[in-house]
Amino acid sequence: MRFGAAVLRSYEDPFTVEEVRLDAGPAEGEVLVRIAGCGMCRTDLAVRRSAGRSPLPAVLGHEGAGVVVETGGPETGLSPGDHVVLGFDSCGHCRGCLGGNPAYCDRFAALNLFGGRPEHAGRFTDAAGGALAPRWFGQSSFAAYAMVQARNAVRVDPSLPLELLGPLGCGFLTGAGAVLNSFGAGPGDTVAVFGAGAVGLAAVMAATAAGAVAVAVDRHPERLAFAEKLNAVPVHAASAGLPDRIRRLTDGGAQYALDTTGSGRLINDALRALRPLGHLGLVARLHTALALEPGTLDRGRRISHICEGDAVPGLLVPRLTGLWRAGLFPFDQLIRTYPLSDINEAERDCEAGLVVKPVLIP
Ligand SMILES: [Zn+2]
Ligand SMILES: [Zn+2]
């Protein structure tokens, strides 16, 4: 079949929207999904900075949501017409997967970043028959259609706004999962969130939904204003004595802090803002060595990296849509939609901080 997709052909050039080809229908265990909308995530844009690591040309996009049009048999558990949110890929067999931690799958990087299912190679080409990289995050959803493992697809209620749901499969899942799964935050807790982008604001919403108090730290006044609208206490990242300020706001220190920035200075500040036994979660990839200042880990404080919000997407996505219905997780307010043909404008707006979460509509 032939359909439109946004192709990234080099690390420097804009996306080109062009016709691509998928050579056959779903294999056993796969489903073909017509994409209704796909969020743009930082990890898509980071491909440009990964020069040589993620194979190109590729169709990126890993926050797809859409309608199942064909299945590779009844064992997929899905039927044509089902509405699905697409998550990350995992093998299903390793210790991480068997332990209910698919984000820590032994093959996570291979399957999601480097096209690690050899059976997919060569099935996806451009109009001239030139090979495209195998599925990005098991999906490649900056396109009108995506072929995925049924394992990556979470069925959702058809009355939900399908075109907006894709970011629940990665960005919003990451922030909300960190707070709800990794921290287990609840009433009476305090969560300091560093960086009020899509992941940070999802963490803020989840903290508030769980009955915790959220403090949001950012350097953009408009993002702080947005965080405040979502019931967080806003604090400018350049505030003098930032950790002290947060400790005062949180009655002696936050139980939990989430860093979405990867900034060494803010990570040290986040640790200083924690109370004893506090937990700092990191979600950004670090690009330089992390130097922790003396004393920052004293008194039982700990630090861990959190991947995909420690989530099993099939469990967390329905929880988040349930919170949305209850008015407690208004993720739709973070989204601006663009036609897929405007993907380069969406990328510019995202990099400039003009939009929190672009969603591309094919
Ligand atoms: Zn695995
Ligand atoms: Zn992502």
Side-chain angles (χ1 to χ4, degrees):
M1 67 184 293
R2 293 163 177 266
F3 54 89
V7 179
L8 188 67
R9 291 193 169 273
S10 86
Y11 299 102
E12 301 81 23
D13 291 330
F15 291 93
T16 53
V17 177
E18 51 187 271
E19 188 179 81
V20 297
R21 294 194 329 212
L22 203 53
D23 77 337
E28 196 177 312
E30 293 182 336
V31 295
L32 178 66
V33 176
R34 187 174 63 244
I35 298 296
C38 181
M40 180 176 271
C41 175
R42 287 274 154 197
T43 310
D44 295 312
L45 305 184
V47 167
R48 293 192 183 281
R49 295 184 278 278
S50 80
R53 296 190 71 224
S54 294
L56 296 183
V59 175
L60 303 178
H62 63 284
E63 293 185 344
V67 181
V68 174
V69 289
E70 198 180 345
T71 76
E75 72 284 358
T76 59
L78 292 166
S79 308
D82 282 348
H83 288 198
V84 290
V85 169
L86 304 180
F88 54 88
D89 202 1
S90 57
C91 79
H93 311 296
C94 70
R95 286 183 73 90
C97 287
L98 292 173
N101 301 296
Y104 302 96
C105 173
D106 287 352
R107 299 188 64 211
F108 184 90
L111 293 175
N112 292 293
L113 304 174
F114 306 120
R117 288 190 189 267
E119 66 271 29
H120 297 168
R123 289 178 63 190
F124 195 31
T125 63
D126 64 18
L132 296 171
R135 298 168 204 177
W136 171 247
F137 274 83
Q139 45 178 297
S140 287
S141 290
F142 287 157
Y145 289 87
M147 187 73 82
V148 305
Q149 302 294 131
R151 178 175 171 77
N152 303 13
V154 179
R155 185 168 37 219
V156 291
D157 191 299
S159 67
L160 292 162
L162 183 62
E163 67 180 23
L164 304 182
L165 300 183
L168 295 176
C170 185
F172 297 158
L173 178 103
T174 295
V179 169
L180 300 174
N181 294 331
S182 321
F183 298 158
D189 287 336
T190 44
V191 184
V193 177
F194 290 73
V199 173
L201 290 172
V204 162
M205 290 188 290
T208 307
V213 171
V215 176
V217 180
D218 203 292
R219 58 197 164 88
H220 297 292
E222 63 283 7
R223 293 203 167 195
L224 289 175
F226 203 35
E228 190 171 17
K229 222 173 86 183
L230 295 170
N231 300 311
V233 181
V235 177
H236 198 283
S239 306
L242 180 61
D244 283 339
R245 177 109 188 264
I246 295 170
R247 278 202 300 271
R248 276 197 304 276
L249 288 168
T250 56
D251 192 23
Q255 270 88 16
Y256 307 108
L258 185 69
D259 179 74
T260 69
T261 70
S263 149
R265 178 181 76 79
L266 288 180
I267 289 170
N268 276 283
D269 281 352
L271 285 167
R272 287 210 184 84
L274 287 176
R275 66 174 55 247
L277 296 171
H279 180 184
L280 166 64
L282 308 181
V283 296
R285 176 175 283 273
L286 298 174
H287 293 286
T288 54
L290 174 62
L292 294 183
E293 286 155 24
T296 46
L297 278 177
D298 290 4
R299 307 198 65 203
R301 293 182 183 87
R302 66 196 167 102
I303 181 169
S304 69
H305 194 272
I306 300 169
C307 184
E308 300 283 358
D310 286 344
V312 175
L315 298 176
L316 188 55
V317 170
R319 191 169 169 198
L320 297 179
T321 57
L323 288 172
W324 177 78
R325 278 196 202 281
L328 295 170
F329 193 76
F331 67 89
D332 52 318
Q333 293 180 20
L334 276 52
I335 289 173
R336 187 195 298 172
T337 60
Y338 297 75
L340 182 61
S341 52
D342 289 348
I343 185 169
N344 293 307
E345 184 189 340
E347 180 179 12
R348 276 194 300 276
D349 288 354
C350 195
E351 292 286 21
L354 299 176
V355 56
V356 177
K357 175 59 74 177
V359 167
L360 298 156
I361 311 291

